[in-house]
Each structure stands twice: as C-alpha cells, then as structure tokens.
Amino acid sequence: MSIRTSSASQSHHAAQRFPSRAVWVLGGVWVLAGVLALPGLLLRSVREVEVESEDDWLIDPAHPDPGPVFLSCQMDYSMLIRTDLEEAEREKAELWWAAALSLKSTLIGFLLPLVILLVCYCSLAQLLSRHFGKGPRPDRKRQRKTP
C-alpha cells in the first residue's frame, strides 16, 4: 500500500528546504548596505582640534588650560590620495572624494528609495484602477437592503 502526497505538500516541503527568493533579496540588500557603508567606516579618524581665540565661549572657566583641545571625528581621505601630490592638488582631490561620497549617499539614500516607492505605488494604482475600472460585474446579483 502506498500513500500518495499531493504536489502542494511536496512544494511546501521543498520551499522549507531551500531559502525563498525573499531571503536572497534581503541578504543581498544587507550585503550591499554593508559594502556601501565601508567608506564611512574605514575613512573616519579622530583628530585633536585646538580652540581658537574667538571660540572663548567654549572654554570652561573651571578648567582653564593653556591650550584647550577638542576631539573631532572627521573623514580622512589620505589613504585614497597619492602622496606625491602637491598640497593644492591634495586638497582638490579630497574635495572630489568628499563630493563623490556625498553624491553616493544622496543617490542611494534618497533618490533610489524614492524611485522604488514611486514604481510600487504606481503599479499598485494601476492594478486598482484596472480592478475597479471594470464597473459592476453582470454575474453578481445586487444585494438589496431589507427593512
């Protein structure tokens, strides 16, 4: 005596054995996000910044140090720029890198999600328009309210 299983239960078990497409998409999004976050992670450095004389309001009168110093977290593009460049060329290269990374952040952090949302909402609106644009179906009987 053999027991036959339906194809629906077989496909259900197969879906449990193999990751679905959604898992692969989510994994891909996380990997992409990690790769895109690497410049901000690798190029950050902490620098000491001395307080200028016009910034006297920042100095704590209880601890008057001869040269107050603050720590500042800044982007450091020195590992991306050749060392044989002159100072003016190095500054120009740093500006280009800052602009490129800012543009990347704007495109991927704002414009890409905006386009994805617009495509999803437009396709949803089109689907709803097709569904409700057909008018009442002749095969449905009108339901009347009974008093």
Side-chain angles (χ1 to χ4, degrees):
M1 182 173 173
S2 67
I3 299 173
R4 297 186 74 182
T5 59
S6 69
S7 62
S9 74
Q10 288 175 353
S11 66
H12 176 68
H13 292 297
Q16 288 180 347
R17 278 184 275 158
F18 300 108
S20 68
R21 187 181 313 169
V23 172
W24 285 105
V25 169
L26 286 174
V29 167
W30 276 103
V31 168
L32 181 65
V35 168
L36 292 173
L38 280 177
L41 179 68
L42 298 176
L43 298 177
R44 292 279 175 195
S45 68
V46 177
R47 295 182 183 174
E48 291 182 354
V49 179
E50 291 187 26
V51 177
E52 299 291 328
S53 62
E54 66 247 11
D55 295 333
D56 287 339
W57 61 273
L58 292 172
I59 300 173
D60 184 10
H63 300 90
D65 290 329
V69 174
F70 290 99
L71 296 178
S72 173
C73 182
Q74 300 173 351
M75 294 291 280
D76 181 16
Y77 302 104
S78 62
M79 69 173 59
L80 301 174
I81 301 170
R82 294 190 334 230
T83 56
D84 61 340
L85 294 177
E86 293 180 17
E87 186 63 31
E89 291 176 347
R90 288 182 63 80
E91 288 179 12
K92 187 176 179 180
E94 284 187 19
L95 284 174
W96 277 105
W97 274 108
L101 290 175
S102 295
L103 182 63
K104 175 211 56 130
S105 296
T106 302
L107 288 175
I108 294 173
F110 176 71
L111 291 179
L112 181 64
L114 177 68
V115 169
I116 290 171
L117 283 172
L118 284 175
V119 167
C120 290
Y121 280 127
C122 288
S123 63
L124 181 63
Q126 183 182 19
L127 179 73
L128 289 173
S129 172
R130 261 192 260 137
H131 177 73
F132 290 114
K134 294 179 181 176
R137 296 186 182 160
D139 59 339
R140 287 189 183 170
K141 295 181 180 177
R142 283 193 136 171
Q143 294 180 354
R144 295 185 184 181
K145 292 182 181 178
T146 56

